């Protein structure tokens, strides 16, 4: 160890080690690469001090010192493997076998992990008296989690991980002495417990007593296997994970684990991230291009597929011009694939009709923030969660949709942050809230205005300061005066006083208030207005541009942000340049050689408009990247009809989804576990993924056929690797991405938050620190009428769709993993009072009918939902939940209203 | 209110907490069910249906009651952690009727609510009596509550206490001043003084007597300690299985508050215990006071640095504070004065012995009339020292115990006589330790069981030694480190009687 001669020194096994503040012997030993045995220690968890395997010898002390919790002191001279402590370790390891009669312990099934490693050194792997280890309590009730009491050494790491890391409480301790056993709460099973199957407990288990149903337990560091660090491909949090391929073929992912120390998730994953990977080796992956033949498909070579594609494209273009082509990108595809798809559409074909799945969720919030700040993105980082004094969660249930963030919020609340939740449902997050505003659907804007009024009336704000940094305050004050607090509480169905209580919390935290919003706000007729009116509160609080404050979306998909950043919406070019901005047009024309000619192709169409155009025969060819339009757009039957009219529907997919039946050509995609590239999370964090395994069969990353097709159409695209595509993006939009490259992202695995203009720039966690590009902050006096879905005669309920913990969006990935056994059908939540009136029993099949269509789901009666509202999950194709929805969409952004449709309910007919 | 104390309140109101109660309370209190159960499970009394009602009796399953032939007499009896009535062993307890003592009472207990407070004989073997010299019944409030070492505070007071030299009762290698100075020197917004009755074993008998009959001195000693370390909050921890003691202490606190001694610069709260906490281990006591599982904590940091709710504490048995007050009154009192329980059938005249550094073990034994057949003395309870007859000239002055072989434990005296088999004593010691340990660390939790099984089987003395060594060397707290002492000495002295088949 190199020291500068002044630092205090201790000696470990004859080697000098610097004594650092807060150092334990164990930490110092780790720095020297000395491995001190431990069973109950984990770096991320509170010290247990129970196993005593870490004792080290010191001549100066009466007894050996426990390395895990004894502070290293200057002058200590320690031997970690002195014969005396080695003998103690042998005795300690022998105790479990010796007491197996009382504890039921058996090492028989413990073949891997930390316990097995120590047993090979010190004994204790002999299985005790229970022989084969089949005795004792076993829990195999849960599709993802397993518990085997006989292998448990009661080290308590699972309990600590569950409580400290996951913020849940699934485990309990028994009595004292030998009765101080670890078990599942109330001696129940995982499936009866509040377990959310994040797997944090299994990751720390030294014996595999707690393990995933994939058999995984313990830290990957303890296994001599090659791991590939990558990024989770489910939601927009951007958790870093590492994957392991099977040893035999190297083609299947057999385990994933969170990466400890990762900026976003610090080792945590959620159920989807931890167990969802099993879609990757599902038997029904698309592995070859498939060409429509009659009513079915036949496998073809890539060559034949591209020949077909080229022919069809040329025909459509020759006959109808570039405006007959459209492209829809996937928010789960990589930045590189999204970028190339829109570039292909705009520059190779010359069509402005490019869009993405972002249209269905966050485009309205993006539009609101663009108007407010000039940048259509959240203003801060997830790290603001920990720094905030008050967190406002509006229209989102992160415990379910973004569990790792939900967990971070809960931990922040446990440490003293205040929490305000606004939702129609009494969500898991609402349980922890200081103030819960259970609004009735569609009343959120009025509530935000009343909150603003209460903030101003409550004397929480410094008006002088506000006048300095905002414009239009007086007009806004006059405007919100029209929203008297009590009247709005009455209108929104809130408890009297709750708005003022929430305002008091925001008023106290002021610039340390973090506003987080989700689809509950954006998927409305007034989605843009809802986020604008939330923005007003952020301006009043003064929280934009500082640490611990801001306004942020919960990006639903892993690369939703990247999709919007790179032109995955018809109104935006890459880098958030407006598509009609003359300066941008000249810039991109120069770079790409061509842009759509507005004179000949007209204005760009969004996804919903493309469907209309297809139905009308104006759009003839559509290229869709990993996005099941049939399952995610409203008016399912209309979409099906429109798709049926296309001359060419090419779909890049992992699986044969519902929409594939309408396609002419299916191109097999590589999943996020099988390709190189980048994702941009909801906090603008660009992170690099890496292939854990090769794609199955002939599946390819989504960008590769685009390159080949561009070449066939006479544009010589030279990209051979994803990194070259990103380099092009960085050159094209240097202000935002100039400093980002695949090479740098390998060096900086936690990624870079754009803007990152040059190679020395550290990235930008907080935007608008020096004010908005639009100048002073402005207010949006938006007054929105209730949508036409409100107060519809004969349709007394307002239904909305949402997400369950177990599945992800259309469920095409999660339904192919163990989650399929955890949740097997879509459910509709309704209030017991409403159910009683409609004669619906819990668990009954219910027919939900709107003016647009009907669907059937299983009723869940719960007081969590407001009377008069229905909440429907939408993960199973057979439900056809989207048949309920008509063409109500936010006129500002085009985002459909999934959060309110007038319905009636009745028990479903038998059969 | 801490979780355990809320549970205790509910347990009394609901006549024991069942499965449903815990689910409901977790929901009502907003505490995750697992976390609530983790606390509730540690204290079996919370789930006892008769915790506050009529009916079933509780049988002490402590070490001395076991040796005296106690245990559950009827199928309906419930196990009960030691209430510190070892001088009456074997005892049974009834929530409404009090204690019943003695083997003869097992089937037909004679319940006596008074027995808890009954004052035993006191032998004054110390040169200057320090205890029971002022009666708590005196109503001369001015005298009763005049502060000890008036006018001194902080370092000056610590220096004075250091000069007089009283030592820690359990660990006499350290002086009180040394321990308390660390609490005083640790930066904190709040500090605490905690007085407790010691472990639920005979040591608590002496402490309980002092809590009841020397309450004023106890409070004065605590206040004095508070001044020394800069604490304004005191806590007295009394087991709920000693209701009469609890009532007496609460009454004393109320009187002192009414007299103006408490309530201005120093406050005292009486906090109940719910079954003994790991044989008097200090960090476990802190957890119990905080309403957590009464488990040992990992240390360092020591309680003087990070004790109650993370704040520094000065923590001692009641006797220590009473002695401190006495030292403040009478300079001739020896700082080595102790109150020791002398009990068991091995003595003709059991009682409490007031001793000091000049008292020898033999003097105590003779004063109490030790049986002729005594072959050993268990000095200090299960975690103390086994003294064989050739060691009985030992002076009870910790300064003399250079070798460190003598551990005074709770300073009690129990004679092992012809009625006791060495092997039975060893087995019961380990039985007790296996049942009483907190379960936090493996050597204590599993080692006690494994060693007990070896004594039962009478085989593998070498392995037995290894296990005891592992317990002594690696246990988290003093409980596991000290249990092997008497056991090992028994095995050394009477090896062939314990490991017959060795």
């Amino acid at each position: 160890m190199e020291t500068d001669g002044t630092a205090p020194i201790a000696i470990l096994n004859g080697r000098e080690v610097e004594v650092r503040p807060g150092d334990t012997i164990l930490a110092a030993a780790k720095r020297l690469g000395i491995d001190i045995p431990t069973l109950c220690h984990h770096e991320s968890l509170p010290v247990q001090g129970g196993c005593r395997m870490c004792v080290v010898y010191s001549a100066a002390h009466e007894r050996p010192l426990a390395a895990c919790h004894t502070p290293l002191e200057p002058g200590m001279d320690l031997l970690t493997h002195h014969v005396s402590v080695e003998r103690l370790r042998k005795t300690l390891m022998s105790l479990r076998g010796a007491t197996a009669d009382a504890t039921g312990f058996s090492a028989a099934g413990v073949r891997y992990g930390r316990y097995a490693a120590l047993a090979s050194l010190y004994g204790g792997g002999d299985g005790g008296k229970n022989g084969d280890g089949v005795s004792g309590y076993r829990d195999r009730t849960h599709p993802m989690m397993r518990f085997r009491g006989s292998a448990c050494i009661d080290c308590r790491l699972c309990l600590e991980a569950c409580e400290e890391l996951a913020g849940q409480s699934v485990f309990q301790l028994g009595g004292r002495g030998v009765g101080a056993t670890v078990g599942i709460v109330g001696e129940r099973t995982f499936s009866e417990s509040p377990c959310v199957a994040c797997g944090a407990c299994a990751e720390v288990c030294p014996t595999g007593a707690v393990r995933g149903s994939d058999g995984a337990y313990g830290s990957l560091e303890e296994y001599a296997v090659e791991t590939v660090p990558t990024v989770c491909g489910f939601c927009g949090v951007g958790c870093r994970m590492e994957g392991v391929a099977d040893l035999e073929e190297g083609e299947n992912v057999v385990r994933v684990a969170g990466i400890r120390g990762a900026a976003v998730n610090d080792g945590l994953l959620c159920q989807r991230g931890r167990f969802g990977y099993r879609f990757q080796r599902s038997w029904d992956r698309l592995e070859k291009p498939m060409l429509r033949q009659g009513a079915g498909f036949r496998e073809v070579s890539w060559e034949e597929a591209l020949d077909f594609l080229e022919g069809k494209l040329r025909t459509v273009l020759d006959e109808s011009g570039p405006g007959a082509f459209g492209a829809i990108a996937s928010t789960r595809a990589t930045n590189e694939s999204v970028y190339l798809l829109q570039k292909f559409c705009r520059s190779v074909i010359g069509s402005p009709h490019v869009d993405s799945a972002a249209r269905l969720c966050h485009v309205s919030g993006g539009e609101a923030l663009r108007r407010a700040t000039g940048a259509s993105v959240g203003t801060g980082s997830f790290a603001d969660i920990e720094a905030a004094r008050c967190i406002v969660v509006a229209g989102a249930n992160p415990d379910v949709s973004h569990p790792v963030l939900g967990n971070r919020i809960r931990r922040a609340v446990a440490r003293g942050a205040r929490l305000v939740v606004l939702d129609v449902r009494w969500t898991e997050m609402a349980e922890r809230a200081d103030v819960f505003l259970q609004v009735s659907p569609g009343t959120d804007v009025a509530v935000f205005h009343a909150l603003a009024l209460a903030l101003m009336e409550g004397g929480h704000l410094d008006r002088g300061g506000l006048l300095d940094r905002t414009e239009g305050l007086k007009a806004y004050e006059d405007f919100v005066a029209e929203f008297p607090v009590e009247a709005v509480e009455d209108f929104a169905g809130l408890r009297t006083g709750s708005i003022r209580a929430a305002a008091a919390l925001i008023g106290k935290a002021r610039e340390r208030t973090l506003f987080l919003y989700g689809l509950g706000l954006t998927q409305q007729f007034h989605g843009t207005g809802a986020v604008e009116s939330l923005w007003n509160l952020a301006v009043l609080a003064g929280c934009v541009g500082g640490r611990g404050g801001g306004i942020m979306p919960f990006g639903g998909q892993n690369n939703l942000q990247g999709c919007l950043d790179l032109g995955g919406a018809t109104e935006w070019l890459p880098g958030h340049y407006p598509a009609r901005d003359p300066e941008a047009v000249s810039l991109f024309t120069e770079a790409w050689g061509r842009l759509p000619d507005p004179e000949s192709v007209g204005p760009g169409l969004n996804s919903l408009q493309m469907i209309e155009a297809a139905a009308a025969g104006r759009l003839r060819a559509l290229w869709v990247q990993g996005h099941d339009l049939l399952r995610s757009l409203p008016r399912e039957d209309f979409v099906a009809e429109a798709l049926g009219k296309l001359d060419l529907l090419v779909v890049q997919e992992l699986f044969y989804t519902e929409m594939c039946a309408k396609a002419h050509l299916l191109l097999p995609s590589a999943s996020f576990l099988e390709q190189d590239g980048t994702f941009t999370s909801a906090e603008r964090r660009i992170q690099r993924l890496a292939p854990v395994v090769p794609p199955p069969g002939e599946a390819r990353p989504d960008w590769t056929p685009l390159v080949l097709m561009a070449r066939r159409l006479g544009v010589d695209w030279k990209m051979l690797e994803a990194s070259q595509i990103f380099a092009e993006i960085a050159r094209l939009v240097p202000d935002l991405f100039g400093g980002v490259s695949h090479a740098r992202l390998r060096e900086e695995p936690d990624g870079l938050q754009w803007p990152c203009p040059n190679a020395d720039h550290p990235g930008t966690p907080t935007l608008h620190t020096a004010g908005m590009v639009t100048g002073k902050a402005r207010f949006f006096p938006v007054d929105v009428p209730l949508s036409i879905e409100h107060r519809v005669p004969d349709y007394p309920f307002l239904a909305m769709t949402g997400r369950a913990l177990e599945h992800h969006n259309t469920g095409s990935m999660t339904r192919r993993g163990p989650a399929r056994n955890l949740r097997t059908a879509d459910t509709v939540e309704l209030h017991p009072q409403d159910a009683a009136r409609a004669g619906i029993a819990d668990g009954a099949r219910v027919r939900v009918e709107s003016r647009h269509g009907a669907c059937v789901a299983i009723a869940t009666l719960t007081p969590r939902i407001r009377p008069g509202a229905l909440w429907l999950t939408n993960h199973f194709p057979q439900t056809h939940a989207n048949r309920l929805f008509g063409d109500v969409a936010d006129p500002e952004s085009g985002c459909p209203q999934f959060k309110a449709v007038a319905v009636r309910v009745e028990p479903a007919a038998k059969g | 209110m801490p979780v355990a104390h809320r549970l205790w309140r509910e347990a009394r109101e609901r006549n024991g907490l069942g499965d449903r109660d815990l689910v409901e309370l977790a929901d009502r209190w907003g505490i995750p069910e697992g976390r609530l159960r983790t606390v509730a499970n540690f204290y079996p009394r919370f789930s006892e249906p008769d915790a506050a009602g009529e009916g079933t009796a509780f049988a002490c399953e402590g070490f001395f009651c076991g040796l005296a032939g106690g245990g559950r007499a009827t199928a309906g009896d419930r196990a009960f952690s030691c209430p510190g009535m070892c001088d009456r062993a074997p005892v049974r307890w009834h929530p409404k009727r009090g204690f019943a003592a003695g083997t003869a009472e097992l089937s037909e207990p004679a319940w006596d609510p008074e027995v808890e407070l009954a004052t035993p004989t006191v032998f004054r073997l110390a040169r200057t009596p320090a205890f029971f010299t002022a009666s708590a019944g005196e109503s001369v409030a001015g005298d009763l509550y005049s502060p000890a070492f008036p006018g001194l505070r902080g370092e000056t007071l610590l220096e004075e206490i250091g000069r007089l030299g009283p030592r820690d009762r359990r660990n006499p290698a350290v002086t009180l001043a040394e321990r308390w100075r660390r609490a005083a020197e640790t930066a904190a917004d709040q500090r605490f003084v905690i007085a407790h009755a010691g472990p639920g074993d005979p040591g608590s008998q002496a402490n309980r007597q002092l809590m009841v009959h020397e309450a004023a001195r106890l409070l004065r000693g605590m206040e004095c300690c508070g001044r020394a370390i800069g604490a304004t909050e005191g806590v007295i921890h009394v087991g709920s299985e000693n209701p009469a003691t609890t009532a007496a202490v609460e009454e004393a606190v109320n009187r002192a508050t009414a007299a103006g001694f408490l309530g201005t610069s120093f406050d005292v709260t009486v906090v109940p215990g719910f079954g003994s906490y790991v044989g008097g281990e200090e960090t476990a006591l802190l957890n119990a006071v905080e309403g957590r599982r009464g488990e040992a904590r990992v240390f360092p940091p020591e309680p003087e640095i990070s004790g109650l709710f993370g704040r520094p504490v000065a923590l001692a048995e009641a006797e220590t504070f009473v002695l401190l007050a006495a030292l403040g009154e009478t300079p001739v009192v020896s700082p080595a004065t102790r109150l020791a329980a002398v009990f068991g059938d091995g003595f003709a005249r059991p009682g409490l012995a007031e001793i000091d550094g000049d008292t020898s073990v033999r003097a105590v034994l003779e004063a109490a009339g030790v049986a002729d057949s005594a072959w050993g003395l268990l000095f200090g309870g299960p975690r103390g020292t086994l003294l064989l007859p050739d060691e009985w000239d030992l002076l009870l002055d910790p300064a003399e115990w250079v070798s460190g072989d003598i551990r005074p434990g709770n300073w009690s005296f129990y004679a092992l006589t012809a009625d006791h088999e060495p092997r039975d004593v060893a087995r019961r010691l380990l039985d007790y330790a296996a049942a009483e340990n907190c379960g936090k660390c493996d050597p204590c939790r599993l080692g006690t069981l494994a060693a007990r099984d070896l004594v039962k089987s009478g085989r593998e003395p070498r392995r037995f030694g290894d296990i005891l060594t592992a317990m002594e060397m690696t246990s988290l707290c003093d409980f596991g480190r000290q249990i092997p002492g008497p056991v090992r000495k028994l095995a050394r002295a009477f090896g062939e009687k314990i490991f017959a088949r060795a």
Side-chain angles (χ1 to χ4, degrees), chain A residues 31 37 89 141 171 191 217 236 316 331 353 395 411-412 470 487 498 515 626 632 672 700 705 743 747 781 819 824 866:
Chain A
R31 286 206 297 278
R89 285 173 189 147
T141 59
F171 299 96
S191 52
Y217 63 89
V316 170
T331 44
H353 312 317
R411 283 196 279 170
T470 64
S498 52
F515 293 89
S632 35
F672 72 91
R700 295 288 175 266
E747 299 301 314
T824 54
R866 278 192 72 93

Side-chain angles (χ1 to χ4, degrees), chain B residues 182-487:
Chain B
R182 299 184 70 191
E185 287 173 353
T186 301
D189 57 344
Q190 204 178 1
R191 297 182 183 79
F192 294 95
V193 177
I194 301 182
H196 59 104
D201 67 14
S204 81
Q205 187 202 359
N207 280 305
R208 268 196 349 267
Q209 291 294 336
L210 293 171
M211 279 185 175
V212 174
H213 300 292
E214 290 275 32
R217 272 185 168 149
L218 166 66
L219 297 174
R220 282 158 56 201
M222 291 176 72
E223 187 273 340
C224 170
C225 173
R227 253 184 293 135
I229 66 164
T232 56
E233 297 273 335
V235 170
I236 301 177
H237 184 262
V238 200
S240 55
E241 58 275 9
N242 297 127
T245 312
T246 309
V249 173
E250 279 172 351
E251 169 61 21
V253 170
N254 290 342
R255 255 184 288 139
T257 308
F261 179 67
L262 299 179
T264 49
S265 57
F266 192 73
D267 282 315
V268 170
T269 318
V270 182
V271 174
F274 322 105
S276 69
Y277 49 87
V278 203
E281 210 286 318
E282 289 181 347
T283 59
L285 168 71
L286 292 170
N287 275 339
V289 173
E290 287 183 19
R292 302 165 188 270
R293 288 170 71 84
E295 289 180 338
R297 296 177 179 177
V298 294
F299 55 88
E302 315 290 344
E304 287 78 20
I305 310 289
S306 175
L308 197 63
F309 302 109
R311 307 321 201 287
V313 292
L315 190 147
E317 293 176 31
E319 185 208 55
T320 300
F321 294 109
V322 175
L323 178 66
L324 182 65
L327 286 170
E329 295 160 18
T330 336
V332 292
V333 165
S334 161
T337 309
R338 299 280 171 211
L339 198 60
V342 186
F343 70 104
D345 292 341
F347 294 105
R349 299 176 292 280
L352 289 174
E354 186 174 353
I355 55 175
D356 65 17
D358 289 332
T359 317
S360 70
V361 169
R362 199 175 294 282
V364 177
L365 299 185
E366 282 171 1
V370 71
D372 290 343
S373 70
W375 51 263
L377 171 74
L378 193 53
F379 171 51
R383 292 165 54 190
T385 311
L386 176 68
L387 294 174
L388 298 171
D390 60 349
E391 298 169 295
W392 288 355
D393 288 321
L394 182 80
L395 284 183
L396 292 166
D397 181 359
E400 299 277 313
W401 306 338
V402 280
S403 69
D405 287 350
I406 311 294
R407 275 196 309 259
N410 55 40
W411 292 82
S412 68
F413 292 78
Y414 186 89
L416 298 164
T417 65
D419 292 343
H420 303 110
E421 278 289 319
R423 184 167 165 184
D424 188 48
V425 175
R427 188 177 66 80
R428 287 191 183 276
L429 270 169
L430 290 165
D431 262 343
Y432 155 80
E436 192 72 1
N437 78 77
C438 73
K440 174 90 176 160
C441 76
D442 289 347
C444 188
R445 175 174 183 242
L446 302 176
T448 47
L449 273 180
R452 194 263 322 261
D453 288 349
L454 288 179
V455 170
K456 265 186 177 169
S457 70
R459 278 184 296 210
E460 297 190 79
R462 249 184 80 93
R463 234 179 93 63
F464 183 72
D466 279 347
I467 292 171
L468 294 187
T469 305
M471 287 175 63
E472 277 171 332
M473 289 293 142
T474 70
S475 286
L476 181 56
C477 77
D478 279 346
F479 185 82
R481 292 171 188 172
Q482 295 177 350
I483 285 291
V487 180

Side-chain angles (χ1 to χ4, degrees), chain A residues 31 88 94 214 254 278 478 614:
Chain A
R31 286 206 297 278
L88 289 171
S94 75
D214 54 3
V254 291
R278 281 196 263 176
D478 293 344

Side-chain angles (χ1 to χ4, degrees), chain A residues 48 50 52 63-64 69 71 87 94 96 98-99 154 156 163 169 172-178 186 188, chain B residues 32-35 37-38 41 276 278 293 295 299 436-437 440-443 445-446 463 466 472 474 476 481:
Chain A
Q48 299 301 305
R52 317 309 283 174
R63 53 175 69 83
H69 63 82
R87 183 160 176 189
S94 75
R96 282 187 197 83
T99 56
D154 302 307
R156 308 182 178 187
E163 296 197 352
S169 181
Q172 66 170 21
L173 291 175
R176 61 205 304 165
V178 75
R188 299 196 288 263
Chain B
E33 189 190 334
R35 224 173 272 193
R37 284 182 185 273
T38 289
N41 290 346
S276 69
V278 203
R293 288 170 71 84
E295 289 180 338
F299 55 88
E436 192 72 1
N437 78 77
K440 174 90 176 160
C441 76
D442 289 347
R445 175 174 183 242
L446 302 176
R463 234 179 93 63
D466 279 347
E472 277 171 332
T474 70
L476 181 56
R481 292 171 188 172

Side-chain angles (χ1 to χ4, degrees), chain B residues 44-111:
Chain B
R45 292 193 59 194
F46 294 173
S47 58
E48 295 292 355
D50 297 306
E54 299 295 324
T56 323
F58 295 80
C60 173
E61 296 207 323
F63 170 60
F64 289 106
C65 284
L67 268 188
R72 278 176 267 192
T74 67
D77 277 3
R78 290 164 196 281
F80 181 49
S81 56
C82 177
M85 304 288 291
C86 312
D87 53 321
R88 309 287 177 122
V91 293
R92 303 213 294 146
W93 180 74
H94 191 283
K96 286 277 189 275
R97 298 175 199 146
F99 288 94
T103 339
E105 310 291 347
L106 282 178
S107 46
E108 289 289 323
W111 301 109

